[in-house]
Amino acid sequence: MTDTALTQQGTPDDELDLTRLLALVWRGKWIILACIAVAFALATFYIREVAVPRYAATTRLVIEAQDRNVVDIESVVSGMSTSTTSINTELSIITSRGMIEKLVRDLELYKDPEFNNAIAQPPRYSRGWIRQQIRALITGETPQVPDQTVEEAVQSSIGRTARAVRATSVSSTLLIDITVTTENRRKSAVIANRLAELYIDAQVENKFNAVEYAIEWLTERVTELERELRDRQSQLDEVRSGASLVGQETLEQMTIRSVELRNRIQNLSSSIEERQARIARAKTLRDTGGGEELVDLFDDRTLSAISADAGAELGNERFSDRVDLLIAQEEQGVARLISQRDVFQESIERLNAELSQQTEALKQVEEMSRNIQASQTLYETFLSRLKETSLQIGLQQADSRILSEAPSGRQVAPQARRLTALSIVFGFLVGVGLVLLRQFTQRGIKTGSELEAVTGQNVIGQIPLSPVKDRMKMIEYLRNKPTSAMAEAIRNLRTSVTLANPKNPPQLIMITSSIPGEGKTTVAVSLALNLAGLGKRVLLIDGDIRRNTLSQYFHSESGVEQHNIVNILEGDTNISDAVLRLPETGIDVLMSEKSDTNAADIFASEAFGRFVGDLRDRYDHIVFDTPPVLAVPDARVVARFADAVLFIVGWNKAHREQVREGIQELRSLGITLTGVVLNQIDGKKMGRYGYGYGGYSKYGSRKYGQGYYDN
């Protein structure tokens, strides 16, 4: 026989298919119905006792797309834009704090406990209400309404009022719905209609205020412009009278005269420079003795005559005197020219000053005239706009109007039908969740296929839960009910064990489990009885020395129980004297007894090996019931001598990790398991877990085994 490796993967049964899921839900129908009933009762209680009825009323407004002012003053007061942004702005204005405050003051909502937090009562069955009732029972005092000023009450009521109001736009239209939700039908309608009226009044008021402001501003501006025109005209007159302005022709003549004087000054300056140069040249020639050059320079007939008579010599007194005289005459001429130039210079300066003064005054007059003209135009424009705006007083209309007033409010909460339906759905989901939670929180193994997947071993037996609770009556039940489901399951197990190796059937069959309480002793007793039914010599050994479990199944004669396996191994008695013979069952039983020596040491001794060899000579089959693997090491020691090792797994008892660990403990010593057995299968619970009848609970299901089993 070869051993297969343990698998760490989940079992196929971890995933519920639709059929199994529906079966699981159906089997948990009472839990689901109970959850639905509880949820329905809670919803009914909430609707009738806890929930406060709420009523909503809606007033519809329409936005006027065109401005209907009699006189067009679009630049002063414009109509409402119909863009999405403008409509959203109007929605915000309707629900703004300022508008809500107007509503609270207008309808005196601050006196209503529904809106005033300070005088509001806590909802029934709320924490505050319960606390209030307890305080009233203990002290006998009723809650006192706090003193508030009107302003405090208004501010305390704005928040709740704002939460009761909702403004929405109707898609793809110019309609606005104002919806108010309160605890009273009529109150909702009154508040919705009044808020719409206040909103329209606010639009008219805003336009009226805008017109008044425009008139006031235009009046001030016209007055300022009129005063400014008078002041500027006065300044212009003063400038004209003070500057003695001449005409344009006179200015032109003065300009021509200025040009002539400037030309004459330039000519005089040129002459002065020429004569000064001649004088300087003459003086130089005089000093250097250039007589001939002096004659040529002055071109004077007298000087030429003197030069012809006496020679052009500076040593000639007449020639020198004539040269000095000519130089002096030139200097006098230069002085006259300079004097003339100075006179002309003074004249042109006076003329230019007068011309500059006249030009500057003329520019100033022209600039002042332009400013006066601009002010006059602006004054006339503002005066015209003031007259147009004044005509608008009393003619302003709102950009919106009420299309339909709110009728009596409709109830919007609590929605009994919806809450009832939701409670049923919620109860159903909670019930299904509880059923599934119960299913998936069970970590025990519940099917043969699951056991094979967890252990990696073949399941060679599936044994139903014994209907007999008293262990003393177990043997009697198996003898009297040979065709019961449990007897058939043991018979199948026997067949699987003996046919595992048909040529060499196992002689020593060891039975163990991972933890106590998995029914391995019952399996051992049942298997021994079934083997004896084949006419075989069978010995059942109680290997659980610490607990002596077999004593709960068999009665013995007085004195026989004193001899047991421990006595044999310690050499105090022999096998024949220690064995309890039960002719009515066809098996021999070897009891055990608690010993001071460790049980594992007893089974590991050489005496135990000789003991097993002696038993093989005496019996065809030896069924050895050993303690759980995870509890003590006894089973691992005994397994060395076994021909077949059966590992018992209690239905929904040991966790998967415990089963894996128990098998791994055996495999770590090289022990090969013959197979695993799923024991104590509860057919009724199997159905509740959603596994149906099928092969999983074939021995425990009346439907599956009807006509075959006699339970």
Side-chain angles (χ1 to χ4, degrees):
M1 180 183 301
T2 59
D3 194 8
T4 58
L6 289 174
T7 178
Q8 297 298 326
Q9 300 177 351
T11 68
D13 294 304
D14 287 339
E15 300 179 1
L16 292 177
D17 57 24
L18 182 59
T19 303
R20 287 182 55 195
L21 179 61
L22 293 176
L24 178 63
V25 171
W26 174 252
R27 286 170 178 79
K29 58 183 176 295
W30 297 115
I31 295 177
I32 297 174
L33 289 175
C35 292
I36 292 175
V38 171
F40 180 80
L42 291 176
T44 302
F45 176 77
Y46 174 78
I47 293 171
R48 295 184 177 181
E49 300 295 334
V50 179
V52 178
R54 308 282 293 177
Y55 302 92
T58 301
T59 299
R60 175 159 290 183
L61 303 176
V62 60
I63 297 176
E64 300 294 345
Q66 297 179 349
D67 191 9
R68 299 181 296 179
N69 291 335
V70 176
V71 179
D72 182 14
I73 55 166
E74 187 175 356
S75 60
V76 178
V77 182
S78 60
M80 183 192 300
S81 171
T82 57
S83 66
T84 302
T85 303
S86 299
I87 293 177
N88 290 336
T89 302
E90 296 303 313
L91 296 179
S92 299
I93 292 174
I94 293 174
T95 56
S96 65
R97 185 178 180 85
M99 189 64 65
I100 298 300
E101 183 174 350
K102 287 183 180 180
L103 178 66
V104 170
R105 294 181 184 275
D106 185 80
L107 295 180
E108 296 184 344
L109 298 180
Y110 55 85
K111 298 180 181 180
D112 191 335
E114 182 178 354
F115 301 107
N116 192 339
N117 290 324
I119 61 177
Q121 295 296 321
R124 293 185 63 186
Y125 303 105
S126 65
R127 183 182 302 177
W129 182 83
I130 295 174
R131 198 162 39 237
Q132 189 180 92
Q133 297 299 316
I134 295 175
R135 187 182 299 112
L137 289 174
I138 296 175
T139 62
E141 299 177 356
T142 57
Q144 299 295 324
V145 178
D147 294 333
Q148 282 185 307
T149 63
V150 173
E151 187 62 29
E152 290 174 344
V154 168
Q155 297 302 321
S156 179
S157 305
I158 292 176
R160 283 196 173 187
T161 306
R163 287 191 292 272
V165 176
R166 183 167 57 92
T168 56
S169 61
V170 181
S171 178
S172 303
T173 66
L174 298 179
L175 302 178
I176 293 178
D177 286 342
I178 300 177
T179 303
V180 177
T181 305
T182 68
E183 299 174 3
N184 183 275
R185 296 178 186 270
R186 184 175 178 278
K187 186 195 301 184
S188 298
V190 169
I191 295 176
N193 293 330
R194 186 53 184 159
L195 180 58
E197 293 171 358
L198 290 175
Y199 169 66
I200 293 175
D201 292 344
Q203 286 186 335
V204 175
E205 182 180 358
N206 289 337
K207 285 195 173 185
F208 182 82
N209 292 337
V211 172
E212 278 195 333
Y213 175 79
I215 291 175
E216 181 180 353
W217 185 83
L218 288 172
T219 301
E220 293 177 358
R221 193 69 183 129
V222 167
T223 303
E224 291 177 0
L225 288 172
E226 186 178 4
R227 183 170 57 252
E228 183 179 347
L229 277 174
R230 288 197 303 268
D231 294 343
R232 288 186 176 182
Q233 188 65 46
S234 298
Q235 292 174 1
L236 178 61
D237 295 340
E238 290 178 0
V239 170
R240 283 177 174 175
S241 61
S244 299
L245 293 177
V246 296
Q248 187 67 29
E249 294 181 357
T250 304
L251 284 177
E252 292 178 356
Q253 293 176 1
M254 291 175 66
T255 302
I256 294 172
R257 176 64 178 165
S258 175
V259 172
E260 291 177 351
L261 288 175
R262 188 178 296 107
N263 291 334
R264 296 189 66 179
I265 289 172
Q266 289 179 352
N267 293 332
L268 287 174
S269 296
S270 298
S271 299
I272 291 171
E273 290 176 355
E274 290 178 359
R275 287 193 173 191
Q276 286 178 343
R278 185 184 300 173
I279 292 172
R281 177 65 178 166
K283 288 181 178 181
T284 301
L285 294 174
R286 186 188 60 182
D287 293 338
T288 58
E292 293 295 334
E293 295 178 356
L294 287 173
V295 172
D296 295 335
L297 176 65
F298 285 113
D299 192 22
D300 182 66
R301 284 182 292 179
T302 301
L303 184 62
S304 298
I306 294 173
S307 175
D309 293 341
E313 296 292 337
L314 293 175
N316 189 337
E317 184 178 357
R318 290 178 59 197
F319 186 84
S320 298
D321 291 341
R322 187 61 184 176
V323 169
D324 293 338
L325 178 63
L326 290 174
I327 291 174
Q329 289 177 352
E330 288 292 330
E331 290 178 345
Q332 291 176 359
V334 169
R336 285 194 302 273
L337 292 175
I338 291 174
S339 176
Q340 290 178 4
R341 188 182 66 179
D342 292 341
V343 171
F344 288 153
Q345 187 68 37
E346 291 177 0
S347 297
I348 196 172
E349 287 178 357
R350 288 195 301 271
L351 183 61
N352 288 339
E354 184 178 359
L355 184 61
S356 175
Q357 180 183 4
Q358 289 292 330
T359 302
E360 185 66 26
L362 185 59
K363 289 182 179 179
Q364 186 177 3
V365 168
E366 290 178 353
E367 182 179 359
M368 293 179 68
S369 297
R370 287 195 300 269
N371 291 337
I372 290 174
Q373 183 64 34
S375 298
Q376 181 68 31
T377 302
L378 189 61
Y379 169 77
E380 292 175 356
T381 301
F382 275 84
L383 182 61
S384 175
R385 190 66 68 192
L386 175 60
K387 292 179 180 179
E388 292 177 358
T389 306
S390 299
L391 294 176
Q392 293 297 314
I393 296 295
L395 298 178
Q396 294 301 318
Q397 294 183 349
D399 296 318
S400 304
R401 62 184 175 86
I402 297 177
L403 184 63
S404 60
E405 291 188 347
S408 179
R410 65 189 184 283
Q411 184 172 349
V412 294
Q415 298 180 2
R417 293 182 179 178
R418 178 178 297 180
L419 284 176
T420 302
L422 289 177
S423 67
I424 293 174
V425 173
F426 178 76
F428 175 78
L429 294 177
V430 170
V432 172
L434 291 176
V435 172
L436 294 178
L437 180 65
R438 185 183 66 172
Q439 167 70 18
F440 290 110
T441 53
Q442 298 294 331
R443 300 185 62 190
I445 297 174
K446 295 180 282 294
T447 67
S449 58
E450 184 179 350
L451 180 57
E452 286 184 351
V454 170
T455 63
Q457 300 288 336
N458 293 328
V459 176
I460 62 175
Q462 298 187 58
I463 303 173
L465 181 65
S466 173
V468 179
K469 303 302 180 183
D470 189 352
R471 294 184 176 182
M472 287 294 184
K473 298 180 180 180
M474 175 60 67
I475 298 175
E476 182 180 355
Y477 174 79
L478 292 175
R479 291 172 58 191
N480 296 334
K481 299 289 185 180
T483 60
S484 63
M486 183 175 180
E488 290 294 342
I490 296 297
R491 192 171 292 112
N492 283 337
L493 175 61
R494 179 203 70 192
T495 303
S496 299
V497 172
T498 56
L499 294 181
N501 188 359
K503 295 182 179 181
N504 188 18
Q507 190 173 6
L508 195 153
I509 303 171
M510 190 194 83
I511 298 178
T512 187
S513 63
S514 58
I515 61 174
E518 297 191 80
K520 60 178 181 55
T521 302
T522 300
V523 174
V525 173
S526 302
L527 181 59
L529 292 173
N530 204 284
L531 288 171
L534 298 177
K536 303 292 185 178
R537 292 173 298 167
V538 180
L539 174 64
L540 176 61
I541 301 177
D542 188 356
D544 195 348
I545 297 177
R546 295 169 176 80
R547 300 178 62 189
N548 194 15
T549 310
L550 282 183
S551 61
Q552 302 175 20
Y553 290 84
F554 301 100
H555 294 283
S556 62
E557 298 178 0
S558 178
V560 177
E561 292 186 13
Q562 301 301 319
H563 302 289
N564 51 65
I565 187 173
V566 176
N567 300 136
I568 297 174
L569 295 177
E570 291 179 352
D572 295 337
T573 186
N574 54 39
I575 296 176
S576 300
D577 295 334
V579 169
L580 175 63
R581 304 185 187 278
L582 302 174
E584 68 278 7
T585 62
I587 64 173
D588 292 345
V589 180
L590 183 57
M591 298 293 189
S592 65
E593 186 179 53
K594 189 172 183 180
S595 173
D596 295 335
T597 306
N598 185 274
D601 295 339
I602 293 175
F603 295 138
S605 64
E606 295 181 2
F608 182 73
R610 293 192 297 269
F611 168 72
V612 171
D614 194 4
L615 291 180
R616 289 182 182 274
D617 295 335
R618 293 171 179 264
Y619 294 96
D620 297 320
H621 297 289
I622 305 164
V623 180
F624 211 117
D625 180 28
T626 60
V629 176
L630 298 182
V632 290
D634 302 7
R636 288 184 291 168
V637 177
V638 175
R640 298 176 303 161
F641 303 95
D643 302 321
V645 177
L646 304 184
F647 196 88
I648 308 301
V649 178
W651 184 85
N652 202 27
K653 291 288 180 64
H655 292 179
R656 300 178 183 182
E657 292 78 7
Q658 292 174 326
V659 175
R660 291 193 186 102
E661 186 177 352
I663 294 178
Q664 185 61 36
E665 289 286 341
L666 295 173
R667 295 183 67 250
S668 64
L669 299 178
I671 298 170
T672 300
L673 296 182
T674 304
V676 292
V677 178
L678 185 60
N679 190 34
Q680 298 178 338
I681 300 174
D682 191 329
K684 294 182 180 179
K685 291 184 179 180
M686 201 77 153
R688 287 200 295 269
Y689 283 123
Y691 292 101
Y693 293 104
Y696 301 120
S697 56
K698 58 185 179 180
Y699 297 114
S701 169
R702 294 179 181 177
K703 181 177 179 181
Y704 187 93
Q706 188 174 5
Y708 290 93
Y709 306 136
D710 180 13
N711 292 328

